[in-house]
Amino acid sequence: MHKSTKAIRSQTPRSPFREHSTPLFLTSSFVFESAEQGRALFDETEEGNIYSRFSNPTVQEFTDKMAMLENHDEGLAFATGMAAVFAGFAGLLRSGDHIVSSRALFGSAHQIITQILAGWGIGHTYVDASATEAQWRAALRPETKMIYLETPSNPGLELVDMEMLGRISAEHGLLFYVDNCFATPILQNPADYGAQLVAHSATKFIDGQGRVLGGVLTGTAEVMDRIRFFARHTGPSLSPFNAWVLSKSLETLDVRMERHCSNALALARTLTECEGVKKVNYPWLETHPQFDLAKRQMRAGGAIVTIELAGGFEHASRLMQSLQLVSLSSNLGDTRSIITHPHSTTHSKLSAQDKAALGITEGLLRISVGLEHIEDLQEDFRKALEISYPRR
Ligand SMILES: *Cc1c(COP(=O)(O)O)cnc(C)c1O
């Protein structure tokens, strides 16, 4: 069976009530049939649910589907994407270890690495996403344990060559850890390049409808065992309710991504022709500096487009005010298109130097292209740009 069919057809075994849609096990604990069973479950001679901080059938349904989609052995769900990203570090690293990471990271991942892990004696070296193989190799140290990256990055849409980094990781016996949130398992699978661990913010395209927070890690059995120990005892668990929502959402992820990507490519092409737009960035646009890699590594270009406007914040603000349909929000990965000004919101905490290194200028706008009819989106942007940049 194809993965898209499995994402629709695999669910918790049908109960005596003969439900069609998957049931929701909204329960904090599970009963033991006997004292002996309680003992067996706790000493792990019998497998089964005990308490929803450890495991829950609805959460398991969601993580099994995610592991299947990511070509990994197992999954583990978290209350948010950041809880998942953090558990990947905290469950695997020890004081004295060192991470080599792509510089272009989600803001909170950057804070974890530079503030929290650094305070615990875990060092890091940042490398530019588009660095050469020699530059990546030069960042390795004897105490390096992990290579971490996001591709495409937020908001720069820089790609990292996963084939190359998978090769370097394997050669040096390193953990290869990828945040695959922007691409989703529909567009690329880091496991195919040797990543033993993948993180997702399920809040984004996996829910895809702006309703719930959630996060998930998928990985090899050996790596997930170590992270499960950390998660079981520290308790960043996903609510079964959110897991139910997210598992249902996986039934439509494939078709949603198809529409997200075709809308994004079409909108990117339209924007290249608009007055006032200095630059359009989209992985599957021929003008993207890593277009060849994007074509090789991704099955489509994704749902995020960025534009750089002439005139900085003032024009960015005027364009945002002039859009009628597109929402102003800092989220992404919704059915509804969203526009964000990273410089003043999501990435405002970065130093001026970091912003410059990542191309986060005052004129940069990030568009999360939704599922509306493409002509309505094109029309909204054309009109708003005409108001912002009237033809003389
Ligand atoms: C949003 C996001 C996260 C964090 O996820 P939350 O669910 O908001 O905690 C991590 N990585 C990337 C790339 C994201 O876009």
Side-chain angles (χ1 to χ4, degrees):
M1 263 194 291
H2 292 83
K3 283 185 182 179
S4 56
T5 306
K6 286 192 206 161
I8 293 169
R9 284 288 170 179
S10 47
Q11 66 183 55
T12 307
R14 192 164 290 156
S15 81
F17 292 106
R18 296 178 289 101
E19 70 281 356
H20 191 200
S21 174
T22 193
L24 163 53
F25 287 93
L26 199 59
T27 178
S28 43
S29 69
F30 298 82
V31 292
F32 310 130
E33 276 158 7
S34 63
E36 284 72 23
Q37 190 187 29
R39 182 173 61 189
L41 286 165
F42 269 85
D43 71 19
E44 293 178 37
T45 50
E46 182 178 330
E47 241 185 68
N49 297 301
I50 299 173
Y51 187 53
S52 286
R53 167 151 51 83
F54 308 159
S55 68
N56 171 286
T58 307
V59 177
Q60 182 83 39
E61 177 188 301
F62 169 59
T63 54
D64 283 351
K65 279 157 80 167
M66 283 301 301
M68 178 275 295
L69 289 171
E70 281 292 15
N71 302 333
H72 266 147
D73 302 328
E74 291 170 30
L76 206 55
F78 297 84
T80 67
M82 283 327 301
V85 168
F86 176 66
F89 293 130
L92 299 175
L93 299 171
R94 296 288 170 271
S95 184
D97 289 347
H98 173 257
I99 313 168
V100 170
S101 170
S102 163
R103 186 186 310 281
L105 294 183
F106 187 70
S108 292
H110 169 73
Q111 301 297 354
I112 288 176
I113 290 175
T114 58
Q115 306 296 322
I116 300 172
L117 298 183
W120 295 343
I122 296 166
H124 71 278
T125 302
Y126 278 150
V127 180
D128 289 338
S130 57
T132 62
E133 181 158 351
Q135 287 170 316
W136 279 100
R137 286 182 186 275
L140 299 178
R141 293 190 199 162
E143 63 273 24
T144 304
K145 289 281 155 54
M146 177 186 279
I147 292 183
Y148 178 70
L149 58 93
E150 276 172 40
T151 179
S153 70
N154 175 21
L157 300 178
E158 285 182 272
L159 269 62
V160 184
D161 186 337
M162 290 193 285
E163 187 278 322
M164 172 175 86
L165 285 163
R167 196 155 30 76
I168 297 174
S169 302
E171 216 175 281
H172 293 269
L174 304 175
L175 289 159
F176 182 22
Y177 182 14
V178 177
D179 180 335
N180 201 25
C181 175
F182 265 41
T184 81
I186 304 301
L187 305 188
Q188 68 190 17
N189 299 113
D192 298 349
Y193 305 96
Q196 303 97 324
L197 187 63
V198 166
H200 282 281
S201 167
T203 315
K204 312 291 168 56
F205 297 100
I206 291 172
D207 172 33
Q209 290 148 89
R211 300 167 299 183
V212 300
L213 297 173
V216 62
L217 288 174
T218 66
T220 61
E222 188 263 324
V223 163
M224 294 309 286
D225 255 4
R226 292 161 67 190
I227 298 172
R228 191 170 298 103
F229 172 83
F230 172 82
R232 191 178 165 117
H233 298 294
T234 56
S237 333
L238 180 68
S239 151
F241 178 77
N242 286 10
W244 184 87
V245 171
L246 294 169
S247 184
K248 290 302 286 179
S249 300
L250 287 181
E251 296 186 17
T252 56
L253 182 63
D254 192 35
V255 285
R256 285 187 286 110
M257 289 314 294
E258 205 177 304
R259 178 71 167 263
H260 273 299
C261 296
S262 63
N263 271 1
L265 180 60
L267 184 65
R269 291 206 196 287
T270 300
L271 289 166
T272 55
E273 292 154 12
C274 288
E275 196 83 21
V277 179
K278 271 205 306 201
K279 196 170 125 193
V280 179
N281 203 15
Y282 183 68
W284 270 31
L285 217 50
E286 294 76 2
T287 49
H288 189 284
Q290 296 164 296
F291 176 65
D292 289 341
L293 176 60
K295 279 281 183 177
R296 205 172 346 119
Q297 189 163 282
M298 301 175 74
R299 293 186 274 268
I304 312 293
V305 176
T306 65
I307 54 176
E308 168 107 34
L309 294 182
F313 182 74
E314 190 197 324
H315 277 82
S317 155
R318 201 180 320 156
L319 172 68
M320 290 171 87
Q321 284 309 315
S322 310
L323 288 163
Q324 298 294 310
L325 189 61
V326 177
S327 312
L328 274 56
S329 174
S330 59
N331 197 18
L332 60 91
D334 199 317
T335 51
R336 290 170 265 202
S337 296
I338 293 170
I339 192 160
T340 310
H341 185 251
H343 192 278
S344 62
T345 60
T346 52
H347 292 71
S348 58
K349 304 275 190 306
L350 295 189
S351 68
Q353 197 186 348
D354 284 339
K355 281 182 195 156
L358 298 174
I360 303 170
T361 62
E362 298 223 16
L364 183 80
L365 288 166
R366 183 186 74 193
I367 305 159
S368 169
V369 183
L371 305 184
E372 300 95 337
H373 197 288
I374 182 59
E375 288 169 12
D376 295 325
L377 292 174
Q378 287 165 323
E379 177 80 358
D380 201 27
F381 274 97
R382 270 199 210 103
K383 278 197 177 142
L385 281 160
E386 268 165 33
I387 296 168
S388 312
Y389 297 92
R391 282 205 192 96
R392 273 151 295 171

